[in-house]
């Protein structure tokens, strides 16, 4: 059963057992209804909110099994979302119980525009956002079952979200080559644009410029170009 944070059943979620026919969907969930909105629900919060409130920290995982395994491993201040992106409604609800969010997701949030939007929203609500590195494990469910201590350690040593996102991009490409710099620019500029705090943004613009070996002005200019391109496309769509 899917409960809202007050403990009311609003829908159901299921997962097929091993050995089921391959043409059957792995996950079966209630459709969107007047009382069930996927983007508004934080699975488990009805049970875990007292622990979230006590710690001032919410560990956000991606699915019901991730939460159940985390709970069984002794991690109580945890909630689950559907997918890898926090919505405005979920952030608003989380901010009532916690001041810090640790993302323990199995998706590539550095390359996921929707996930970055959710992070930016949470940041704008004044929440401190961190990311747990899963290491060799594909998701929190596997980490919690196979190595609970290692999973807990990854949560304890979670890193600032903007550092995580930028590091993730730099690890994918060679920053010393022209083509590598171009690829990094394509992916890192949207991340920098997601940071609405001017002082924080300036800090990471300087960091990126140092790692690329270019001036902060060049990075700022590229951010401006991205903005101009977006506005031009918007004007074209209107006309």
């Amino acid at each position: 059963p899917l409960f809202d944070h007050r403990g009311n059943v609003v829908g159901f979620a299921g997962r097929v057992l091993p050995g089921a026919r391959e043409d059957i969907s792995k996950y079966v969930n209630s459709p969107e209804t007047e009382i069930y909105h996927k983007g508004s629900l934080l699975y488990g919060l009805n049970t875990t909110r007292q622990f979230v409130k006590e710690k001032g920290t919410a560990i956000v995982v991606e699915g019901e099994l991730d939460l159940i395994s985390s709970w069984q491993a002794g991690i109580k201040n945890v909630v689950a979302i559907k997918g890898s992106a926090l919505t405005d409604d979920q952030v608003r609800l989380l901010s009532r119980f916690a001041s810090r969010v640790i993302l323990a997701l199995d998706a590539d949030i550095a390359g996921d525009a929707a996930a970055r939007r959710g992070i930016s929203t949470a940041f704008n609500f004044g929440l401190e956002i961190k990311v747990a590195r899963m290491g060799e494990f594909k998701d929190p469910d596997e980490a919690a079952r196979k190595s609970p201590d290692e999973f807990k350690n990854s949560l304890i040593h979670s890193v600032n979200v903007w550092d995580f996102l930028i590091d993730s991009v730099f690890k994918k490409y060679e920053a010393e080559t022209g083509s590598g710099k171009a690829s990094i620019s394509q992916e890192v500029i949207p991340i920098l644009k997601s940071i609405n705090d001017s002082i924080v943004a300036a800090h990471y613009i300087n960091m990126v410029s140092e790692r690329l070996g270019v001036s902060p002005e060049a990075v700022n200019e590229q951010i401006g170009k991205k903005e101009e391109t977006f506005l031009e496309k918007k004007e074209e769509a209107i006309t």
Side-chain angles (χ1 to χ4, degrees):
L2 299 172
F3 296 90
D4 66 15
H5 67 286
R6 298 184 182 90
N8 302 307
V9 177
V10 295
F12 294 90
R15 188 188 188 285
V16 298
L17 294 172
R21 298 200 322 267
E22 290 187 3
D23 62 328
I24 297 176
S25 177
K26 188 176 179 181
Y27 295 96
V28 183
N29 301 290
S30 290
E32 295 268 324
T33 66
E34 289 185 12
I35 61 169
Y36 170 55
H37 302 284
K38 181 175 70 173
S40 301
L41 188 81
L42 290 170
Y43 177 74
L45 184 60
N46 62 301
T47 299
T48 67
R49 64 179 184 179
Q50 67 185 88
F51 301 101
V52 170
K53 203 166 186 177
E54 286 171 9
K55 297 277 189 181
T57 300
I59 297 160
V60 176
V61 296
E62 197 167 324
E64 294 90 358
L65 291 179
D66 289 325
L67 181 140
I68 291 167
S69 293
S70 298
W71 177 275
Q72 290 175 334
I75 299 165
K76 306 294 188 182
N77 55 321
V78 59
V79 297
I81 58 177
K82 296 279 192 181
S84 60
L86 281 166
T87 67
D88 290 2
D89 287 341
Q90 289 167 335
V91 169
R92 195 173 290 109
L93 184 56
L94 271 178
S95 67
R96 290 168 53 185
F97 303 100
S99 59
R100 182 187 302 110
V101 170
I102 298 175
L103 302 176
L105 307 173
D106 56 336
D108 175 21
I109 62 171
D112 188 331
R116 291 200 308 270
R117 282 196 299 272
I119 289 165
S120 182
T121 299
F123 190 74
N124 291 337
F125 264 81
L127 293 172
E128 179 187 358
I129 315 295
K130 294 196 165 189
V131 180
R133 301 180 190 272
M134 291 290 99
E136 63 186 85
F137 303 109
K138 65 182 178 67
D139 55 29
D141 172 46
E142 183 182 54
R145 285 186 291 104
K146 292 186 176 180
S147 183
D149 289 340
E150 196 170 337
F151 180 41
K152 290 175 185 176
N153 197 49
S154 73
L155 297 172
I156 292 168
H157 294 97
S158 55
V159 298
N160 178 279
V161 66
W162 304 120
D163 290 296
F164 174 83
L165 293 175
I166 292 168
D167 283 344
S168 296
V169 174
F170 273 87
K171 284 178 180 177
K172 290 165 63 176
Y173 307 104
E174 294 288 338
E176 294 77 19
T177 66
S179 60
K181 282 181 168 61
S183 297
I184 290 169
S185 176
Q186 286 293 318
E187 293 192 30
V188 85
I189 294 301
I191 294 171
L192 293 174
K193 283 176 61 62
S194 298
I195 307 174
N196 290 330
D197 186 301
S198 299
I199 294 174
V200 176
H203 168 77
Y204 286 105
I205 287 170
N206 286 329
M207 175 193 288
V208 167
S209 68
E210 287 179 14
R211 294 180 69 169
L212 286 175
V214 300
S215 68
E217 290 74 21
V219 178
N220 268 312
E221 184 180 345
Q222 196 63 22
I223 292 172
K225 284 181 180 178
K226 288 284 181 183
E227 181 69 25
E228 287 169 10
T229 302
F230 170 76
L231 291 173
E232 286 168 4
K233 288 182 178 178
K234 193 172 181 180
E235 286 175 4
E236 286 174 9
I238 294 171
T239 55

